[in-house]
Amino acid sequence: MGIFKTMFLELAAIDPATNTNYFFGYFGIACALVFANLGSAYGTAKSGVGITSMGVLRPDLIIKSVVPVVMAGILGIYGLIISVVINQKIGSTTDYIPKIGFAHLAAGLCNGLSSLGAGLAIGLVGDAGVRANAQQEQVYVGMLLALIFAEALGLYGLIVAIIIS
């Protein structure tokens, strides 16, 4: 019985507001990295399926069709960048108030969910685009433009996340 009383008294002595702030900040880091990597993984996998399917009939176009995979991989880097930025700001401040914790959560969600959406778009456009490119090579420029605009969604999330954090 004595150990539970000691644990309770130790927990009661901790200021819950201070710990909550750090929770939201670190949760923002996790959201940025996890969602960005989910988008990156989906975009890579979906585009990779299209590349391997297309490569059976047109192996000469495989290297040209790797663009969606590279663009999807960049989304994971966006999550890594904002995670490092937020982590440095959490460690550098002594008075980590709730406003900053909430801002870091918002920044992580903004970056992570934007990258997730971009990864979904890159995966779908990449899969359909490389298959269409195997049949008609004039589709390539249109596919690149669609991929660029899909990638821009993740970049917008990164920029806003940096501004918020």
Side-chain angles (χ1 to χ4, degrees), residues 43-57:
T44 300
K46 186 79 170 157
S47 297
V49 168
I51 292 170
T52 54
S53 177
M54 178 273 311
V56 173
L57 299 175

Side-chain angles (χ1 to χ4, degrees), residues 15-164:
D15 182 13
T18 306
N19 292 331
T20 305
N21 302 338
Y22 286 102
F23 168 78
F24 286 116
Y26 285 113
F27 193 64
I29 291 173
C31 287
L33 197 58
V34 169
F35 289 136
N37 285 337
L38 280 173
S40 179
Y42 180 83
T44 300
K46 186 79 170 157
S47 297
V49 168
I51 292 170
T52 54
S53 177
M54 178 273 311
V56 173
L57 299 175
R58 297 286 306 269
D60 56 313
L61 294 177
I62 290 178
I63 297 301
K64 188 177 179 183
S65 299
V66 174
V67 173
V69 173
V70 172
M71 293 182 85
I74 292 170
L75 297 174
I77 296 171
Y78 292 166
L80 179 66
I81 290 169
I82 199 65
S83 294
V84 169
V85 168
I86 294 172
N87 189 39
Q88 287 178 343
K89 291 188 177 186
I90 288 175
S92 65
T93 181
T94 55
D95 44 320
Y96 196 68
I97 60 175
K99 177 184 174 186
I100 298 173
F102 295 145
H104 289 162
L105 174 62
L109 285 171
C110 181
N111 180 55
L113 293 176
S114 295
S115 294
L116 178 61
L120 294 173
I122 288 171
L124 294 174
V125 171
D127 182 28
V130 297
R131 290 175 195 244
N133 186 42
Q135 295 175 0
Q136 180 59 259
E137 290 193 37
Q138 294 175 344
V139 175
Y140 188 73
V141 174
M143 178 190 72
L144 280 180
L145 287 174
L147 288 171
I148 289 169
F149 285 116
E151 180 77 27
L153 299 174
L155 185 59
Y156 298 155
L158 175 67
I159 292 168
V160 171
I162 289 172
I163 291 169
I164 290 173

